[in-house]
Amino acid sequence: MLNLVLFGPPGAGKGTQAEFLIESYGLNHLSTGDLLRNEIAASTPLGMEAKRYMDNGELVPDSVVIGMIKNKLEAQTDAAGFIFDGFPRTVAQAEALDQLLNENGTPVSGMLSLEVVKEELVARLLNRGKTSGRSDDQDDSVIENRINVYNEKTLPLKNYYAAQNKHFGINGMGSIEEIAARLKEAIKAL
Ligand code: B4P
């Protein structure tokens, strides 16, 4: 079973590359950002709570996100593998994911970390904000906060996975096709 964690700062191309990986490897896609936006669109209590954090570029509380992933994993027992996109984002989330997957004897295969310079991240997000309608992509200070929150709370996960020999840095600069080819090489070596 191939369980990939697709990692990187906001705008690194996680969602973009996830689409390619799903197609190439037949994996189930679990994007916490998409799941949360679905909850917001459906105006559920969970969505309304999450929106307050997302609009400010803050992380949604661990308990909410972990509960959501647990439900999805339990509902998809026939999957060939998963691509985790935007999850885990904190050490507590990574520990919870390890526990959930280890219970099934199907641990994380590798964490693929897309590396992109800050100027490019900001440019990509502002560009998406022109058409996506995503409020968190339209405001410079919210984007700045998302990147700061990433550096403070999410970046430490590199060490978490490196300690398990599961961290693989990938150059996330260049065309979508070039980056997809680099990911494929890294997956071959897993
Ligand atoms: P996400 O939905 O995960 O948003 P993101 O970090 O911006 O990444 P995304 O996948 O959308 O963008 P991508 O890099 O693919 O999270 C949104 C919010 O939800 C968070 O801020 C947080 O509040 C909350 N949340 C989500 N998960 C959570 C968790 N686990 N715990 C707590 N809170 C959580 O792409 C960005 C843009 O770049 C796209 O427009 C794309 O077209 C473009 N692009 C991609 N590759 C490119 C390339 N090579 N060249 C040029 N442009 C490229």
Side-chain angles (χ1 to χ4, degrees):
M1 195 173 197
L2 190 59
N3 282 325
L4 302 174
V5 171
L6 199 50
F7 187 81
K14 300 180 296 287
T16 309
Q17 295 298 334
E19 283 178 32
F20 147 81
L21 294 174
I22 296 155
E23 210 174 287
S24 301
Y25 298 94
L27 303 175
N28 287 21
H29 184 209
L30 286 181
S31 157
T32 40
D34 287 350
L35 293 171
L36 291 167
R37 281 185 289 277
N38 290 344
E39 297 282 341
I40 293 172
S43 298
T44 64
L46 189 156
M48 293 303 96
E49 189 196 352
K51 189 174 185 325
R52 289 192 287 126
Y53 295 95
M54 293 167 78
D55 282 350
N56 293 318
E58 296 293 330
L59 294 181
V60 174
D62 285 337
S63 57
V64 173
V65 186
I66 291 167
M68 224 170 50
I69 284 284
K70 187 171 186 288
N71 289 342
K72 292 288 166 190
L73 283 176
E74 284 169 0
Q76 300 178 37
T77 46
D78 56 350
F82 290 94
I83 169 141
F84 297 96
D85 164 4
F87 178 90
R89 261 174 153 100
T90 62
V91 171
Q93 292 180 19
E95 287 170 350
L97 181 63
D98 273 351
Q99 198 184 333
L100 285 169
L101 293 177
N102 288 338
E103 276 168 15
N104 299 331
T106 57
V108 168
S109 313
M111 181 244 227
L112 306 170
S113 174
L114 292 167
E115 290 161 359
V116 176
V117 297
K118 186 179 172 187
E119 295 69 30
E120 173 72 8
L121 298 174
V122 175
R124 287 183 190 178
L125 294 174
L126 286 173
N127 192 41
R128 179 170 64 182
K130 288 181 200 155
T131 53
S132 68
R134 269 180 65 166
S135 54
D136 60 345
D137 283 346
Q138 289 170 26
D139 185 305
D140 286 307
S141 63
V142 173
I143 291 177
E144 183 77 25
N145 192 39
R146 284 160 70 192
I147 295 173
N148 290 341
V149 166
Y150 170 82
N151 286 332
E152 192 191 319
K153 297 192 173 149
T154 306
L155 205 50
L157 286 183
K158 276 194 187 181
N159 292 336
Y160 179 89
Y161 285 102
Q164 300 181 24
N165 292 321
K166 288 180 179 176
H167 167 260
F168 301 90
I170 310 286
N171 177 1
M173 302 285 288
S175 73
I176 290 170
E177 294 74 21
E178 284 167 341
I179 300 161
R182 288 178 203 139
L183 285 168
K184 215 166 184 171
E185 280 305 304
I187 292 169
K188 245 193 239 168
L190 286 180

